[in-house]
Amino acid sequence: MDTYYVIKKAKDQITEIIRTKFPDADIEITAPPPELASDFAVPLFKLAKKYGKSPNHIHEEIESIFDKTGTLFDSVFFLAGYINFVLNQMEYFKYLARDALRLKNDFGKSNTGTGQSIVIDYSAPNIAKPFSIGHLRSTIIGQSLYNIFGFLGYAVTGINHLGDWGTQFGKLLYAFDNFRKKNKTEDPTIGELLDLYVLFHKKAEKEPELEDKARDYFMRLEKGDKECRKKWETFCKISLDEFKRVYTYLGGIRFDEYLGESFFFDKGQVILDEILSRRFCIFDSQEKYESFLNENGEIRSFLEKSIQSINISTPVFFLTDKGHTKAAGRISDNEKAAEFKALIDVKIKGQNKVLEKLRNITGDETQAKEILKQFESENIKSTVYWIETTGLTEKASGKISGEAQKKLQSQARCLASTGSFLYTEGDEDSGTETAKQENLLLVDLTDFGIDTPLLLQKKDGTTLYALRDLAAIKYRTDSYNPTQILYVVGSEQSLHFRQIFMVARLLGYETQCHHIDFGLYRFPEGKMSTRKGRIILLENILNEAVEKALEIIKDREIPENEKKEIARIVGIGSIKYTDLSQERRKEIVFDWAKMLNMDGNSAPYLQYTYVRIVSILNKAGTDPFSHSFETEVELTDKEHKLIMSLSRFPEILEAAARTYAPHIISGYLYSLSQDFNNFYNSTSVIRTEEADLRTARLLLCRITSIVIKNGLMLLGIEVPNRM
């Protein structure tokens, strides 16, 4: 498909003209102010600085070699540091007409993404909860990005990462078994599941022990208990059927895969093993490490003596300067902070002595470091404690009391640090009769500008959703080999995604991952809460939008069935457009009057403009695409402005994809519709007597209708044929 659009041709010609005189020029082509009789402008300040000349002198040199022959331009002129290029308007329009005639309804498409694939994770509603307005933004922003990238030639995979796993299902299963009426044998509705979930939390406020019972239920589910599993699968099926019904009503929503969090439950262990192998297993296996030491007796002997030579009882381990300084900074007592720092300094000095000796033995610094890391991992039983209470001196001398140990465990974070990973391994609770094994796993990201460690596994060995998100990155990378993975999730999850993306990079996953964050909806009713049952159901909002749209067109002479369909298209389109017309990081204030305004920046305004154009083309009775347009006509300023707006459509789509910003398309479509209506209100199209001029104007109508329809389609918004 040939997608070399006229606007690209014009900019390429500008670049070629300037580089004829300045071959290595860095050229920025901009749109001049609307009041200026110019079509493209290039600032000359950087060029002037680079070549040691004034901007006017640069312009004079470019103008001296400018020849309009074979170009789209008539002239150039200099103003306020810019060189301005003025188009041959008819030549530009003829090229635009050729583009439209060649591509017809595909106008705007490109091959930019050919050979590249993108995975988009969006919508992701929670199983056993009705589809609330809270998931609408992810759904329509994600679907719009899916549409945009697909239109630009990318291979796109849309994934609905359902929230179908976690401790909340322990709560629901407990509530289902204990709070549901025993005589109910039919499958529950999704509304009933929500009621049970809310009831559990109300009861748990007065009976905290219910939380432990819920954890037991979830543990049974994790271990594959048949009864729990069967009920959970029922909950999932009921929920997914409901979600698909809502997606159909919403219109234009599609997914290539429905893969919930549960799909990655058993795959998380692979990630854990990989992290732990990078933390502990410098050699591929313990056997290889032991074999290496057996073959290198001098190294084994030296390592066994190295701890005593450092003169501290706790083992040596790697700490970056930034890491241990930051740890010391968390101790409020200056004296204890200094003591902690001195202890670390001793360790680092000793560590450097060990490394120096190992370098001499092996002749290889990298191998020396790996050997020491492996040795230290064998000996770590307890690790650095940074605290704000007493006990540090006792810990440093290895004479810590049981009481101090108990205090440390309750008030300190116990971290064993090697490279970037933090791990607490089997710390014993000396304050109890029976030692309790703990398996807390965190990843320290301090050196990468993230102060909060990523928690992957709780002390009881239960894994968290962060681990399953890492497993999902691995699965998607292996399955689709994508250029990018996009996560369309609210801004409140920014820290989480910064953490998992960084850990993914540390694990060697090279796929670019991006968090496409967005703000929330704001309602007079306040913040939504599933636990308290205070949620706004999406279907209720959609129904209200359709009813309000129906009220607007109720007096039109249109059959009732068609009127209802138009109301659905306009009402639901108004909700989508209100969202997608704003920069996604902003909060959305729900305003019905603004949403359904037929004259302002709204879906109904754009839809009505499209309907108006369809009516014009139907009345004309001829297809302006039936033959090529190569004649000369005189264009008005409003017509030329509309031509320039239409030619920008391919670049608008590229910009929206590059910045993951559907609102760029919305803003463009509103501006284009204004340009068209200004043209239409000042010009007679159908009654134009001169045949060539009439054809030219009908061409403008036809191309505008295609651009509005395609642009709205990319936003997931349908267009009616009449309103």
Side-chain angles (χ1 to χ4, degrees):
M1 181 172 60
D2 179 7
T3 58
Y4 187 58
Y5 291 99
V6 63
I7 194 166
K8 179 70 165 57
K9 184 179 183 68
K11 290 186 175 183
D12 284 350
Q13 288 181 0
I14 290 172
T15 300
E16 184 179 350
I17 290 167
I18 295 175
R19 285 185 177 160
T20 299
K21 195 68 179 177
F22 303 100
D24 56 349
D26 182 15
I27 300 168
E28 177 190 0
I29 302 174
T30 65
E35 66 274 9
L36 196 64
S38 169
D39 298 298
F40 299 96
V42 177
L44 300 178
F45 307 106
K46 288 183 180 179
L47 270 177
K49 183 177 180 180
K50 182 172 185 177
Y51 290 97
K53 301 177 181 182
S54 70
N56 189 39
H57 193 172
I58 296 288
H59 161 259
E60 288 174 351
E61 292 194 41
I62 295 171
E63 188 174 29
S64 69
I65 55 92
F66 173 72
D67 181 1
K68 68 179 184 180
T69 305
T71 75
L72 293 166
F73 299 98
D74 267 343
S75 62
V76 297
F77 68 90
F78 178 76
L79 182 66
Y82 286 75
I83 183 170
N84 291 270
F85 289 79
V86 181
L87 285 166
N88 178 322
Q89 294 183 359
M90 268 312 302
E91 196 66 20
Y92 194 80
F93 177 42
K94 282 189 273 188
Y95 269 96
L96 175 67
R98 291 169 197 161
D99 290 343
L101 184 61
R102 181 177 69 253
L103 296 167
K104 295 186 173 61
N105 292 333
D106 287 335
F107 183 80
K109 280 189 175 182
S110 82
N111 301 318
T112 302
T114 301
Q116 301 179 67
S117 64
I118 290 182
V119 171
I120 307 180
D121 177 330
Y122 58 107
S123 193
N126 295 312
I127 292 296
K129 297 175 185 176
F131 202 117
S132 77
I133 193 74
H135 287 279
L136 177 63
R137 296 214 69 191
S138 174
T139 303
I140 61 178
I141 293 172
Q143 188 62 59
S144 180
L145 292 174
Y146 183 105
N147 298 341
I148 293 166
F149 280 106
F151 205 67
L152 297 181
Y154 291 82
V156 188
T157 301
I159 295 179
N160 197 336
H161 188 75
L162 299 167
D164 65 354
W165 203 250
T167 55
Q168 69 269 28
F169 288 99
K171 298 173 183 180
L172 183 59
L173 286 165
Y174 178 85
F176 188 84
D177 281 354
N178 292 275
F179 303 153
R180 196 186 194 221
K181 292 180 180 179
K182 301 300 180 184
N183 60 348
K184 281 194 171 185
T185 57
E186 71 280 7
D187 287 341
T189 63
I190 198 165
E192 185 182 356
L193 293 176
L194 175 64
D195 291 341
L196 288 169
Y197 185 74
V198 171
L199 180 59
F200 176 89
H201 281 280
K202 286 182 179 179
K203 288 182 175 291
E205 288 177 2
K206 297 178 181 179
E207 305 173 53
E209 64 274 11
L210 292 181
E211 297 286 353
D212 290 331
K213 293 179 180 180
R215 276 189 284 272
D216 290 339
Y217 261 83
F218 183 59
M219 192 174 295
R220 285 169 54 190
L221 179 62
E222 282 190 312
K223 291 180 178 179
D225 180 273
K226 289 184 179 180
E227 279 300 313
C228 288
R229 188 83 184 183
K230 183 178 179 181
K231 291 170 186 172
W232 171 80
E233 288 174 351
T234 299
F235 300 162
C236 289
K237 183 182 182 305
I238 291 168
S239 303
L240 188 55
D241 288 345
E242 175 67 9
F243 297 156
K244 288 181 177 179
R245 187 185 65 79
V246 174
Y247 290 139
T248 299
Y249 188 25
L250 194 55
I253 306 299
R254 59 161 295 183
F255 301 95
D256 298 294
E257 282 191 350
Y258 287 85
L259 285 181
E261 197 178 335
S262 62
F263 179 80
F264 301 99
F265 171 63
D266 58 347
K267 295 172 178 58
Q269 189 59 48
V270 175
I271 303 298
L272 274 183
D273 292 343
E274 191 170 352
I275 288 175
L276 295 179
S277 70
R278 288 171 180 268
R279 164 62 181 83
F280 291 110
C281 301
I282 303 305
F283 296 86
D284 291 343
S285 66
Q286 182 64 24
E287 289 74 20
K288 286 186 180 181
Y289 175 62
E290 288 294 339
S291 175
F292 175 85
L293 292 184
N294 290 335
E295 293 171 3
N296 295 271
E298 186 181 2
I299 293 177
R300 177 187 283 278
S301 175
F302 173 73
L303 288 171
E304 288 173 349
K305 294 176 181 177
S306 64
I307 294 296
Q308 287 74 25
S309 70
I310 296 171
N311 197 30
I312 53 174
S313 59
T314 49
V316 184
F317 53 90
F318 284 109
L319 265 179
T320 63
D321 287 342
K322 185 175 180 181
H324 80 306
T325 301
K326 193 144 195 165
R330 288 170 172 145
I331 304 173
S332 58
D333 186 309
N334 290 336
E335 185 176 339
K336 291 189 178 298
E339 186 178 355
F340 177 91
K341 182 72 162 56
L343 171 63
I344 297 301
D345 287 342
V346 170
K347 287 191 169 215
I348 290 177
K349 286 176 183 177
Q351 172 182 285
N352 290 337
K353 289 180 182 179
V354 174
L355 279 175
E356 184 178 357
K357 180 68 173 177
L358 287 172
R359 276 196 298 268
N360 293 336
I361 295 173
T362 64
D364 185 316
E365 181 162 353
T366 301
Q367 188 179 43
K369 287 183 177 180
E370 290 185 346
I371 293 168
L372 183 55
K373 282 184 182 180
Q374 183 69 26
F375 180 76
E376 288 167 356
S377 71
E378 295 290 306
N379 287 276
I380 291 176
K381 198 68 177 174
S382 59
T383 64
V384 174
Y385 289 89
W386 48 268
I387 56 173
E388 297 184 6
T389 58
T390 60
L392 191 60
T393 303
E394 293 176 316
K395 180 61 185 172
S397 64
K399 298 178 181 178
I400 188 166
S401 66
E403 186 61 26
Q405 175 76 11
K406 183 177 181 181
K407 185 180 290 187
L408 282 170
Q409 288 183 326
S410 63
Q411 298 184 12
R413 297 175 65 181
C414 176
L415 307 176
S417 179
T418 304
S420 297
F421 294 109
L422 303 185
Y423 185 65
T424 62
E425 180 195 25
D427 301 316
E428 294 182 354
D429 183 356
S430 304
T432 60
E433 293 183 6
T434 305
K436 181 180 179 181
Q437 191 78 5
E438 296 183 342
N439 296 289
L440 182 70
L441 179 62
L442 308 98
V443 181
D444 180 23
L445 301 169
T446 306
D447 287 346
F448 304 96
I450 304 173
D451 291 338
T452 307
L454 178 63
L455 179 61
L456 297 176
Q457 182 171 282
K458 296 180 183 179
K459 291 180 179 180
D460 61 4
T462 303
T463 58
L464 281 83
Y465 71 96
L467 185 65
R468 294 185 280 281
D469 277 346
L470 287 169
I473 291 176
K474 177 174 173 57
Y475 171 82
R476 292 163 183 177
T477 299
D478 293 343
S479 300
Y480 304 107
N481 190 29
T483 310
Q484 302 179 64
I485 303 176
L486 309 184
Y487 290 81
V488 187
V489 183
S491 298
E492 69 276 9
Q493 292 291 319
S494 292
L495 173 61
H496 170 74
F497 284 109
R498 284 177 63 210
Q499 290 172 319
I500 66 166
F501 294 165
M502 181 55 68
V503 174
R505 284 198 286 274
L506 291 172
L507 290 171
Y509 305 154
E510 296 181 358
T511 300
Q512 294 181 34
C513 295
H514 301 287
H515 176 204
I516 312 304
D517 57 337
F518 55 82
L520 304 176
Y521 279 112
R522 285 204 289 117
F523 294 88
E525 294 84 354
K527 189 176 179 180
M528 292 178 288
S529 171
T530 305
R531 292 185 177 187
K532 296 182 178 180
R534 190 171 65 239
I535 65 172
I536 299 173
L537 299 183
L538 175 60
E539 190 169 11
N540 292 346
I541 293 291
L542 297 180
N543 287 339
E544 188 170 355
V546 172
E547 289 171 7
K548 289 180 180 295
L550 188 59
E551 184 66 22
I552 293 172
I553 63 171
K554 66 179 182 180
D555 296 328
R556 308 282 169 89
E557 293 183 4
I558 300 173
E560 281 303 311
N561 286 343
E562 186 180 354
K563 197 178 291 185
K564 288 179 181 178
E565 179 61 10
I566 293 170
R568 183 192 67 80
I569 291 172
V570 173
I572 293 177
S574 70
I575 291 178
K576 290 182 179 181
Y577 186 84
T578 297
D579 188 313
L580 297 174
S581 64
Q582 302 187 53
E583 202 282 327
R584 57 180 162 76
R585 295 178 185 87
K586 292 182 179 180
E587 289 191 338
I588 303 294
V589 179
F590 228 74
D591 184 337
W592 284 117
K594 183 178 178 181
M595 282 183 180
L596 294 165
N597 187 351
M598 296 289 286
D599 299 314
N601 186 8
S602 66
Y605 174 72
L606 302 185
Q607 290 166 325
Y608 184 73
T609 300
Y610 172 80
V611 167
R612 168 181 276 184
I613 297 172
V614 170
S615 176
I616 294 169
L617 294 171
N618 288 337
K619 288 177 182 177
T622 59
D623 181 6
F625 280 178
S626 60
H627 59 275
S628 61
F629 182 80
E630 300 294 340
T631 56
E632 296 283 331
V633 297
E634 188 172 342
L635 298 169
T636 67
D637 289 344
K638 287 184 173 63
E639 287 166 342
H640 180 60
K641 186 178 182 182
L642 179 58
I643 289 165
M644 293 302 295
S645 293
L646 290 168
S647 73
R648 291 175 56 227
F649 185 51
E651 286 195 339
I652 291 295
L653 301 187
E654 298 280 355
R658 187 169 58 251
T659 56
Y660 314 110
H663 80 276
I664 292 176
I665 297 175
S666 303
Y668 164 79
L669 291 177
Y670 177 53
S671 177
L672 174 67
S673 295
Q674 289 180 310
D675 290 342
F676 175 82
N677 285 313
N678 288 336
F679 149 73
Y680 176 76
N681 291 331
S682 65
T683 306
S684 174
V685 176
I686 296 177
R687 290 194 297 271
T688 300
E689 294 181 359
E690 186 183 342
D692 288 341
L693 184 57
R694 184 175 187 270
T695 299
R697 289 173 174 172
L698 286 172
L699 263 175
L700 285 177
C701 292
R702 182 78 169 91
I703 299 170
T704 304
S705 72
I706 290 172
V707 171
I708 292 177
K709 185 174 183 178
N710 283 352
L712 288 175
M713 176 271 294
L714 295 176
L715 299 177
I717 298 172
E718 300 170 71
V719 289
N721 289 319
R722 59 175 172 170
M723 287 175 67

